[in-house]
Amino acid sequence: LRSSEKREISAAEREIHYQVWLCPDYYVRAPGRVNLIGEHIDYCGFPVLPISIQQDVVIAGRTDHETRNMTITNIRDSFPEYSCSMRNIEVSEVKWYSYVLAGYMGISQRLNTLAPGLQVMVDGEVPMSAGLSSSSALVCASALLAALFLKEKSLTREKIAELCARSERYVGTEGGGMDQAIAFLGVKGKAQLINFNPVRCEPVTLPDSVTFVVANCLVNKWKADGTDFNNRVAECRLGAKVLATKLGVDWRGVATYHQLMTQQSLTPSQLHDSVLLQLHGEPYSKQEIMHLLDCTEEEFSRTIGRSSNTAFQLRDRADHVVGEAARVATFHQLCSGGNPDIKELGGLINDSHMSLKDKYNVSVEELDELTEICREAGALGSRLVGAGFGGCTISMVPSEQVSAFIEEVYEKYYAPKNLKLEECCKLHLFPSSPAMGLCARAVEQCVARAVEHCAARAVEQCAARAVE
């Protein structure tokens, strides 16, 4: 291993690192994800349509009977090591290793038991802060690793995905569960239509004539900083409750727009009409919302969670959510019918970006520029992906045009930034196809990485374990 940022790794430490990576008790792999359509609606209860991708996070874990500590190390020396007592695991600040702690805490607290000491080593290929769910992949991989060590065998993939969604709140993210669900339920070669409460999914066949290409705008946004993302979550919670009150429904029994629609037997069109009719376009103040809901200060604070907002834009947010849910339904219907009109699919993706930009206000100048360049280069549809405020775009490109598309996007967006084509195609601009979901058996891939990162040592022993 390379030296850390602040000190040289001792020979003894290096030996431990080799042993953890090459001779662990378990390997766990969790993929990143790309959401094809359905952005910012999972926490409102509506279905989404993501794929799991080839880029992944891999964790190696080994029991440490000597120290009774959890020690978390990253293959890459830019990430500091962390160690704490197994009896004192908590997330006091958000660091890269906090996601490992969060996944472990979710399983440990469910079982009300502690593992012996653990040595954990992490490697990953999912770009950070890019909207491809690197953080959730880390939480999910850690949770499965904890389940293996603690002999938890009762959880289905759906249940552990729901548990991981709750666990990620330890690091301050009020997400809705899409990232964790696709990490566990991804299917090679298929997208997944994911429904919530409870989590369930339906494989969706995508048209063979198109390829989805990821492009990073190179503006990083860390979702767990809490500000913008959690504010949108709070606006949707408040909007659903205010709309319920306007419709004569007890707001205390309504958590999401989807729940309100289901309880009142509304069609999506009726819900959309109600949003536009009942919610005004100007931002709501805290005082106005408290008056409408006739709620206490405590009830209001509990509803907005980690949001720092003092003014809340309810109608535009709801307009996006209900419209995006309709786009997901149409996209799914077109794909399910066989031989879909790819131009119509592309139009839905473009409409999604414009709604995210104009109604949800989560785009930035660089994302808008990049999606426009992608359309000019031949994409039938292009939009931001993930939480927004930076990160990646996803573009639907005719398969025979992918090479020309990548070359043109590189020339117009990345070359002026003095980035090399080879570097871009590896890190920032690449086609993606649906990959398998989370597993604990990707041993051959880990051996290859061990050779690449740690040198060819004890590979035969690791390969023998894989066979066993």
Side-chain angles (χ1 to χ4, degrees), residues 149-162:
F149 276 109
L150 294 174
K151 312 301 182 186
E152 168 56 84
K153 299 180 180 179
S154 65
L155 287 170
T156 63
R157 285 178 176 264
E158 290 82 1
K159 290 298 183 183
I160 195 170
E162 291 177 333

Side-chain angles (χ1 to χ4, degrees), residues 314-466:
L314 303 188
R315 188 170 74 175
D316 280 355
R317 308 302 185 238
D319 193 6
H320 164 75
V321 166
V322 179
E324 186 78 347
R327 285 185 283 273
V328 172
T330 302
F331 198 102
H332 173 238
Q333 183 179 19
L334 289 169
C335 290
S336 299
N339 194 28
D341 183 336
I342 58 176
K343 289 185 178 180
E344 189 172 353
L345 294 178
L348 293 169
I349 292 173
N350 288 330
D351 290 345
S352 175
H353 182 79
M354 296 309 297
S355 182
L356 289 161
K357 173 189 174 185
D358 296 333
K359 297 175 183 177
Y360 225 67
N361 301 125
V362 294
S363 190
V364 294
E365 182 179 338
E366 292 84 354
L367 283 168
D368 296 335
E369 177 189 1
L370 183 53
T371 55
E372 185 60 32
I373 287 173
C374 288
R375 295 185 196 103
E376 292 173 355
L380 299 171
S382 184
R383 71 175 191 86
L384 70 86
V385 66
F389 312 105
C392 287
T393 64
I394 183 70
S395 296
M396 192 178 76
V397 182
S399 296
E400 70 274 9
Q401 298 177 23
V402 169
S403 296
F405 171 85
I406 288 177
E407 183 176 346
E408 184 172 341
V409 173
Y410 168 74
E411 290 295 337
K412 289 184 175 180
Y413 193 81
Y414 298 101
K417 297 173 174 57
N418 297 317
L419 295 176
K420 302 294 186 183
L421 178 59
E422 182 178 355
E423 176 188 4
C424 280
C425 290
K426 182 178 180 181
L427 299 175
H428 308 308
L429 179 62
F430 50 86
S432 185
S433 57
M436 70 175 181
L438 193 145
C439 66
R441 293 178 293 182
V443 177
E444 297 84 357
Q445 184 177 0
C446 292
V447 172
R449 288 193 185 179
V451 173
E452 178 183 352
H453 291 296
C454 301
R457 182 182 184 280
V459 174
E460 297 83 0
Q461 181 177 359
C462 191
R465 286 198 177 193

Side-chain angles (χ1 to χ4, degrees), residues 223-240:
K223 187 168 68 174
D225 70 6
T227 306
D228 295 315
F229 180 83
N230 288 336
N231 286 344
R232 297 302 183 278
V233 176
E235 287 173 323
C236 289
R237 287 177 182 166
L238 290 171

Side-chain angles (χ1 to χ4, degrees), residues 243 247 260-271 274:
L243 184 59
L247 296 177
L260 176 62
M261 183 179 75
T262 303
Q263 287 180 356
Q264 298 303 303
S265 301
L266 300 175
T267 66
S269 178
Q270 289 173 330
L271 178 63
S274 296

